[in-house]
Amino acid sequence: MEDLPPSRANPRRASSTLGVDLSSPFEVKSRNCRGIRPMKTYACIFVCFTVKAVHLEMLGDLSSDCFIAGLKRFGARGGMPDEIFSDCGTNFIAQVKN
């Protein structure tokens, strides 16, 4: 078995190194009334590599702007991370608007 990378083996502050992924959509109702249609929301999952803590942020859609807003909300709680790892999904790539 290979050694762990330094970002996972060396002691650091919590949430300095993160793994990020997005979940499949959830259907959420804003109120418990008749006639209200459910809307799609997504969960952004932040996993701290240092202490294995998990943080969930709800996103309204899969746009880059929405993800950056969720990252800023996460950073307001525990400080901005030094490194972020992801699975290189296409939802993390900003779309150029013409």
Side-chain angles (χ1 to χ4, degrees):
M1 183 176 211
E2 192 174 338
D3 292 338
L4 289 173
S7 62
R8 296 190 65 183
N10 297 337
R12 301 172 91 175
R13 70 173 174 83
S15 75
S16 63
T17 305
L18 291 178
V20 178
D21 202 5
L22 292 174
S23 72
S24 56
F26 292 97
E27 288 191 354
V28 178
K29 282 186 176 181
S30 59
R31 295 187 185 130
N32 197 7
C33 300
R34 291 190 322 187
I36 303 290
R37 284 197 275 163
M39 54 188 274
K40 285 185 182 178
T41 59
Y42 300 86
C44 185
I45 305 162
F46 296 99
V47 179
C48 174
F49 285 176
T50 308
V51 296
K52 298 294 184 215
V54 176
H55 179 83
L56 300 175
E57 282 287 337
M58 297 307 291
L59 304 178
D61 57 13
L62 291 178
S63 67
S64 299
D65 294 333
C66 202
F67 171 73
I68 290 171
L71 182 62
K72 286 181 181 179
R73 286 192 303 267
F74 173 79
R77 290 180 174 264
M80 289 302 280
D82 299 328
E83 293 179 294
I84 299 175
F85 294 93
S86 73
D87 59 355
C88 296
T90 56
N91 48 345
F92 295 118
I93 299 170
Q95 299 293 323
V96 178
K97 296 178 184 175
N98 293 330

